[in-house]
Amino acid sequence: MPLDIAPFQARRTRLLATMQAAGGGVAIIPTAPEQLRNRDTHYGYRFDSYFYYLTGFREPEAVLVLVAGDTPRSLLFCRTKDMEREIWDGYRFGPEAARETFGFDEAHPIAELDAQLAILLANQPAIFHSMGYEPAWDNRVTEALNRVRAQARTGCVAPAQIRDVRSLIDEMRLIKDASEIATMRRAADISGGAHRRAMRATRPGIHEYEIEAELIHEFRRYGSQAPAYGSIVAGGANACVLHYVENDGLLRDGDLLLIDAGCELDGYASDITRTFPVNGRFSGPQKAAYELVLAAQAAAIAVTRPGAGWNDPHDAATRVLAQGFIDLGLLQGSLDGVLESGSYRQFYMHRTGHWLGLDVHDAGEYKIAGEWRPLVPGNVLTVEPGCYIRPAADVPEAFWNIGIRIEDDALVTDSGCDILTAGTPKSVADIEALMAETA
Ligand code: GLY
Ligand code: MN
Ligand code: MN
């Protein structure tokens, strides 16, 4: 699909206006470096999310410079054309084609960045930079600043402030625009298909990695570039390890399988968890625990709407889970007592969601001036309660090693929320019906 550059240009225009309103200055926003995996082999390249959000440009060795002022300008510094390297590594835009294709005011060879910065920063009030994240960039920006200071006797004044550019972009990234929502819907659809494929492929006697392969097949099959995070494919007791990564266990008759996997599409993450029986039928205790988590998720989704505080879905889910743990005989005492003491954390120890977007745990603060941020239309967050029951003397044995999480991606709308991942079965009946089709 040809790149629609309008949303990226609109974001640059908005950020420039915000910088101008904050007193003006120059923003320096580099993309991510390539990372060696071993010896001379690199990890698959992934651009920096902030840089991509403002450019749509996917090559490494690139820097966006925004100059706020009466004539706001956006400049890209990138690799030059190089036929020799392009024969080995593939196409590069080069400054000229990059400027034209991505709509920058100017584009220059990356080798000219340091010299250009000394000119661009002169007589500017502030540098907008992501101070403290990349020591190499902190040094480079400091050097650029010192080069301007060294020209003081020519009458040029160096920026007096270094400001955090990420916090400005974070506020923008929290509210998804139409193009982001469209991409996130497609990512969610692909991931939903992958979870359905995994349900169909699961049976006793195969390995977790075989199911991981089904997920990856489906992601790539529909154009996703990569998983958005390491897929968790956790059978039986492995589901009680929250960040399980091995994915090499055998799937056994009678166990549950927890899959937390989502694809990344054009930079945007999806994040889905489903838990289902390896043999296609929930046992009594599995079903009881599963229905509890599902009810907790429904309670959280019901309060995911504009004006709700960030923590309201978590509080709603926790309340349902805590009462359920008492009802199932996993905890003793009253609901208030269990909530107050935090004893529910034995079985539910993580939070109920996070922002979702270019990063799976997306940018943006969760509190403003000490208060939970109110949800607004355009926010995208996950809703992912769970319960993880490890063997213990005071826990009924029927529940041992049951690990369940149910995770969906919610877009806050004007009146509530839209579940982007609704196409992935999650009721007991729907899961059992899907698995029965292929049994
Ligand atoms: N898959 C990462 C998460 O659910 O937060
Ligand atoms: Mn998540
Ligand atoms: Mn997840």
Side-chain angles (χ1 to χ4, degrees):
M1 208 189 297
L3 183 76
D4 177 9
I5 61 167
F8 299 98
Q9 284 180 307
R11 292 172 204 149
R12 293 200 291 274
T13 302
R14 274 184 62 205
L15 180 57
L16 278 160
T18 308
M19 289 165 58
Q20 185 64 0
V26 174
I28 304 168
I29 302 161
T31 196
E34 292 177 286
Q35 299 281 358
L36 271 182
R37 182 174 185 273
N38 58 311
R39 198 180 287 269
D40 60 353
T41 305
H42 290 86
Y43 284 103
Y45 182 69
R46 169 55 157 75
F47 40 77
D48 174 78
S49 296
Y50 291 94
F51 173 86
Y52 181 78
Y53 180 72
L54 296 164
T55 63
F57 194 66
R58 299 184 185 192
E59 288 182 22
E61 297 184 81
V63 177
L64 173 68
V65 176
L66 297 175
V67 184
D70 294 337
T71 319
R73 285 188 297 153
S74 68
L75 291 70
L76 181 76
F77 291 82
C78 67
R79 301 183 302 192
T80 49
K81 295 294 288 176
D82 180 337
M83 281 333 284
E84 173 70 11
R85 288 313 330 153
E86 289 182 52
I87 285 168
W88 287 89
D89 300 331
Y91 178 77
R92 308 173 164 197
F93 276 91
E96 206 177 309
R99 187 188 60 72
E100 222 167 88
T101 309
F102 294 87
F104 299 104
D105 297 304
E106 294 175 28
H108 302 282
I110 186 75
E112 293 176 12
L113 177 69
D114 292 322
Q116 283 283 331
L117 279 180
I119 299 165
L120 293 167
L121 292 174
N123 303 315
Q124 289 285 349
I127 300 176
F128 291 81
H129 166 60
S130 58
M131 209 68 195
Y133 288 98
E134 293 281 348
W137 273 104
D138 292 349
N139 286 339
R140 201 156 172 191
V141 169
T142 307
E143 279 166 20
L145 185 59
N146 284 330
R147 248 178 268 125
V148 184
R149 286 173 179 149
Q151 303 167 46
R153 270 178 274 170
T154 68
C156 104
V157 179
Q161 292 180 47
I162 299 185
R163 309 181 63 146
D164 179 28
V165 71
R166 288 196 180 185
S167 56
L168 301 183
I169 308 171
D170 286 349
E171 287 301 307
M172 296 168 62
R173 285 177 56 180
L174 274 169
I175 300 175
K176 272 61 180 176
D177 62 32
S179 101
E180 294 181 286
I181 291 167
T183 305
M184 293 188 78
R185 278 191 199 284
R186 284 194 291 126
D189 285 348
I190 295 171
S191 296
H195 278 264
R196 292 194 296 276
R197 185 184 176 102
M199 285 179 192
R200 286 194 205 99
T202 296
R203 59 185 185 278
I206 65 173
H207 294 86
E208 292 163 347
Y209 53 76
E210 295 176 71
I211 299 302
E212 184 182 9
E214 300 290 338
L215 298 164
I216 293 169
H217 175 98
E218 193 82 358
F219 291 169
R220 288 296 285 149
R221 168 86 179 69
Y222 290 99
S224 145
Q225 291 80 10
Y229 52 91
S231 305
I232 297 171
V233 182
N238 296 336
C240 295
V241 179
L242 295 181
H243 291 159
Y244 179 70
V245 291
E246 284 83 1
N247 296 356
D248 59 0
L250 188 66
L251 297 177
R252 294 187 177 81
D253 200 353
D255 279 350
L256 291 176
L257 174 60
L258 181 156
I259 298 179
D260 184 345
C263 72
E264 180 178 297
L265 181 72
D266 295 338
Y268 284 84
S270 51
D271 186 4
I272 304 180
T273 308
R274 289 292 182 266
T275 310
F276 54 91
V278 168
N279 65 13
R281 304 281 304 173
F282 286 88
S283 73
Q286 286 169 351
K287 186 170 170 181
Y290 187 87
E291 297 280 20
L292 171 60
V293 177
L294 198 56
Q297 200 209 29
I301 289 172
V303 297
T304 301
R305 55 174 181 241
W310 164 261
N311 216 42
D312 291 356
H314 179 66
D315 285 342
T318 303
R319 218 177 157 77
V320 172
L321 287 170
Q323 183 61 56
F325 295 152
I326 296 166
D327 296 344
L328 292 176
L330 297 169
L331 291 177
Q332 272 67 53
S334 66
L335 176 59
D336 286 345
V338 163
L339 289 172
E340 211 163 296
S341 69
S343 60
Y344 64 85
R345 292 199 189 99
Q346 181 180 351
F347 306 114
Y348 183 48
M349 60 297 281
H350 61 74
R351 300 195 56 81
T352 302
H354 49 82
W355 303 126
L356 185 72
L358 284 164
D359 299 318
V360 64
H361 297 160
D362 206 33
E365 301 292 350
Y366 291 93
K367 281 191 171 180
I368 304 174
E371 298 293 327
W372 293 112
R373 183 187 277 274
L375 298 177
V376 296
N379 288 156
V380 180
L381 62 150
T382 65
V383 186
E384 50 176 307
C387 81
Y388 313 90
I389 310 171
R390 287 174 174 266
D394 57 350
V395 171
E397 201 169 334
F399 291 101
W400 286 9
N401 295 320
I402 288 180
I404 294 167
R405 179 163 61 257
I406 305 171
E407 175 173 30
D408 283 291
D409 304 343
L411 165 68
V412 180
T413 62
D414 288 339
S415 57
C417 70
D418 183 0
I419 302 300
L420 303 179
T421 44
T424 319
K426 66 180 171 184
S427 72
V428 166
D430 287 351
I431 289 173
E432 291 189 344
L434 180 72
M435 295 187 75
E437 274 173 24
T438 47

